[in-house]
Amino acid sequence: MRSKSLAYLGVALLGLSLAAGCVRKTAPVSKAPASGDAPASAVAFLDKKFAVLPFAIPATDADLLAGYLPVARHVPEVAPVHLDAALEQDLAGAKQQFVPAKMAASCAKSAPRGDEPGRLGTLRSYVNIGKCAGADYVVVPMVIDWRERDGSEIGATKPASVDFVLYLIDVRTGAMVRNFHFDETQQSLVSNILDAKKFVSRNGRWLSAMELAQEGLKKGIAELGL
């Protein structure tokens, strides 16, 4: 009986050894940062300079750095203006350093686009904008879809819906290091009982598209570590 126990122990130790060997040989997997990673990233970004571009409305899939545009979408021309104002307000109390908004906007207009086709050229253009502005990172915001609610805050026949992305580009490496995608259509408590906490936090109100977007911006800023 003792010899069998030793044999089983030996097999178990061998299995653990092999498993450990597999773990050591496996390369670490890169993953998108969760909201809990934001405080650490905020510290890592200290003494770095950021250029925040104005919100843009992508015309083609090549304007995006990830994903694809929906077949049916609608964005009023005034939406980016309101989003720029909201984002600027949210970043006013940030600890990071930002280049003046006018400089970032000017560089966005004058910096050359990359020679590479498609999204590579789009990414290169953001890197060139960052170099023009003297920034370490570039924040690229885009609004993809914007649907205003039909009705009032106490009764809507059609809820507000907002879809936007925030990209964070490393100017030195030319890589997209982080991205945040907000795509939400407000739902009633009856439609989604699992979102009861969110429903209560909104006081049972039907939000406007701008109010919905403001919630998303705050989440995005936190996840990007700004």
Side-chain angles (χ1 to χ4, degrees):
M1 181 67 71
R2 177 179 176 82
S3 61
K4 287 186 178 180
S5 299
L6 291 175
Y8 288 141
L9 178 60
V11 171
L13 290 175
L14 177 60
L16 289 174
S17 177
L18 289 174
C22 291
V23 170
R24 284 194 295 268
K25 291 180 181 178
T26 302
V29 178
S30 175
K31 64 177 182 178
S35 57
D37 298 329
S41 65
V43 173
F45 288 149
L46 288 178
D47 298 325
K48 302 297 182 181
K49 190 173 291 186
F50 294 78
V52 181
L53 303 189
F55 261 91
I57 304 174
T60 67
D61 291 339
D63 293 330
L64 299 175
L65 297 182
Y68 300 92
L69 295 174
V71 176
R73 63 194 186 96
H74 171 74
V75 181
E77 293 184 1
V78 71
V81 178
H82 293 319
L83 285 168
D84 287 338
L87 182 57
E88 182 178 3
Q89 183 176 358
D90 286 340
L91 292 176
K95 297 180 180 180
Q96 311 301 349
Q97 301 179 50
F98 299 95
V99 303
K102 288 184 177 180
M103 178 183 292
S106 176
C107 286
K109 294 179 180 178
S110 61
R113 181 181 174 84
D115 295 329
E116 300 90 342
R119 292 179 177 180
L120 287 177
T122 301
L123 180 60
R124 178 65 62 184
S125 69
Y126 296 140
V127 171
N128 291 338
I129 292 171
K131 291 179 179 178
C132 168
D136 299 291
Y137 294 91
V138 178
V139 179
V140 182
M142 292 188 178
V143 54
I144 298 172
D145 198 18
W146 184 279
R147 310 278 177 166
E148 192 53 83
R149 75 179 178 215
D150 288 339
S152 66
E153 64 178 22
I154 61 174
T157 56
K158 184 178 179 182
S161 180
V162 174
D163 185 352
F164 71 81
V165 292
L166 302 175
Y167 300 124
L168 184 62
I169 310 300
D170 188 326
V171 176
R172 183 180 62 84
T173 64
M176 178 178 69
V177 293
R178 294 195 172 194
N179 73 85
F180 171 79
H181 184 198
F182 181 80
D183 183 5
E184 182 173 342
T185 299
Q186 187 178 3
Q187 296 182 339
S188 67
L189 182 60
V190 176
S191 299
N192 189 358
I193 192 66
L194 298 178
D195 248 353
K197 185 177 181 181
K198 185 180 293 185
F199 182 84
V200 172
S201 70
R202 293 168 174 169
N203 297 319
R205 298 169 50 248
W206 290 100
L207 304 184
S208 66
M210 191 63 231
E211 289 174 322
L212 195 60
Q214 286 174 322
E215 287 189 0
L217 285 175
K218 286 180 171 57
K219 292 179 182 178
I221 290 172
E223 291 207 16
L224 263 58
L226 301 178

